[in-house]
Amino acid sequence: MRRKIVAGNWKMNGSKDLSEKLVGSIRFEAESLDNGVEIVIIPPAIYIGDVLKQAQGALSVGVQNVGQWQSGAYTGEISSDMAKDAGCRYVLVGHSERRQLFGETDELVAAKVSSVLFSGLVVIVCVGETLEERESGQAESAVSSQVRTGLSLVAQGEWQNVVVAYEPVWAIGTGKTATSDDAQTMHAAIRSVLKDMGAPADEISLLYGGSVKADNAAALFAEPDIDGGLIGGASLVAKDFVSICRYFPAGT
């Protein structure tokens, strides 16, 4: 059975006060969940300690980005070893905002994935097509290329620490979302690519991201190849975020 994961990416939002109130509320609400969903909080790195304090082991914690190096003269960077030392379990790599705003390439994503796995952490690798690629019929080929290159350095024994998040770029922060059918089609295509790469594709969790909210989560999570969500704006409101987590029925 694949892991069911709902991860909240705070992006560049947060404060010590928010960390205390929001994470405490999420932890309290999560105690009543009985559907086996792993809840992951991914705050700005500077608030990891505050989030861990409130999570109290009931919630997993991740970091939004790491460098491809483990140490050295790289001012402003943090390594996956540092993230692990701080108490993180997950690392987000290759988010579309990192690709678009900071010029991260598939090759750089691959190097970061390798570093994260070397540290023994779980990597959530983000892939997704632009509106132009979708409208020109290149969506699947674009995403396939990101998967193949971004995961090209994963060794056979490391796949258990790989999660893939499909986030259509045109749906991130826009209020638009892919239909559940569209999302399922792409998730199935990603799983097919993973299988072609020799990965244990049926064991790898695939998440959907891109304006996931309480009113569309049920339809998305009901699809056979969607194993959870990478949540942006809704993860900053405890009630909304926990509502999304509840859409996995017990025993799935």
Side-chain angles (χ1 to χ4, degrees):
M1 185 180 295
R2 295 189 295 269
R3 286 177 293 176
K4 305 296 184 181
I5 301 168
V6 177
N9 175 18
W10 288 10
K11 305 189 181 184
M12 200 175 72
N13 297 290
S15 65
K16 291 177 72 68
D17 185 60
L18 180 71
S19 299
E20 178 178 350
K21 293 178 180 177
L22 177 59
V23 180
S25 296
I26 292 171
R27 187 193 72 244
F28 177 78
E29 294 291 338
E31 290 174 353
S32 64
L33 294 177
D34 62 352
N35 55 8
V37 171
E38 181 178 5
I39 299 176
V40 184
I41 308 296
I42 311 177
I46 199 168
Y47 296 121
I48 287 171
D50 299 292
V51 170
L52 281 165
K53 187 183 300 182
Q54 294 300 322
Q56 297 182 11
L59 311 173
S60 297
V61 179
V63 65
Q64 296 175 13
N65 180 52
V66 293
Q68 64 269 43
W69 314 278
Q70 292 297 352
S71 63
Y74 306 107
T75 300
E77 291 291 300
I78 62 173
S79 72
S80 49
D81 275 354
M82 292 174 179
K84 182 177 182 178
D85 189 45
C88 290
R89 170 171 164 75
Y90 285 86
V91 179
L92 200 62
V93 171
H95 192 280
S96 65
E97 291 160 1
R98 298 295 312 176
R99 295 174 187 263
Q100 291 186 315
L101 300 177
F102 301 97
E104 293 195 2
T105 63
D106 291 336
E107 290 75 17
L108 179 56
V109 168
K112 291 187 176 187
V113 168
S114 181
S115 179
V116 172
L117 295 176
F118 182 79
S119 296
L121 297 176
V122 180
V123 65
I124 302 177
V125 185
C126 300
V127 298
E129 81 281 7
T130 63
L131 182 60
E132 181 180 3
E133 287 167 335
R134 172 159 285 273
E135 291 182 339
S136 65
Q138 301 300 309
E140 285 194 20
S141 62
V143 171
S144 174
S145 178
Q146 291 173 7
V147 172
R148 289 183 183 278
T149 304
L151 298 177
S152 60
L153 302 180
V154 179
Q156 194 58 41
E158 295 177 324
W159 288 106
Q160 72 272 13
N161 282 336
V162 173
V163 175
V164 179
Y166 167 59
E167 293 193 307
V169 177
W170 47 270
I172 299 173
T174 64
K176 298 179 180 179
T177 185
T179 66
S180 56
D181 286 342
D182 286 341
Q184 165 58 26
T185 296
M186 187 63 80
H187 279 239
I190 291 170
R191 208 173 295 283
S192 179
V193 170
L194 290 170
K195 188 174 297 184
D196 189 55
M197 293 175 67
D202 291 333
E203 301 172 16
I204 295 174
S205 296
L206 305 183
L207 313 183
Y208 175 78
S211 298
V212 178
K213 298 179 174 63
D215 60 2
N216 60 28
L220 289 164
F221 295 169
E223 297 293 343
D225 285 298
I226 299 179
D227 305 307
L230 180 58
I231 318 301
S235 70
L236 296 170
V237 180
K239 181 179 179 181
D240 293 348
F241 186 58
V242 175
S243 291
I244 291 170
C245 297
R246 292 187 189 281
Y247 278 110
F248 283 113
T252 58

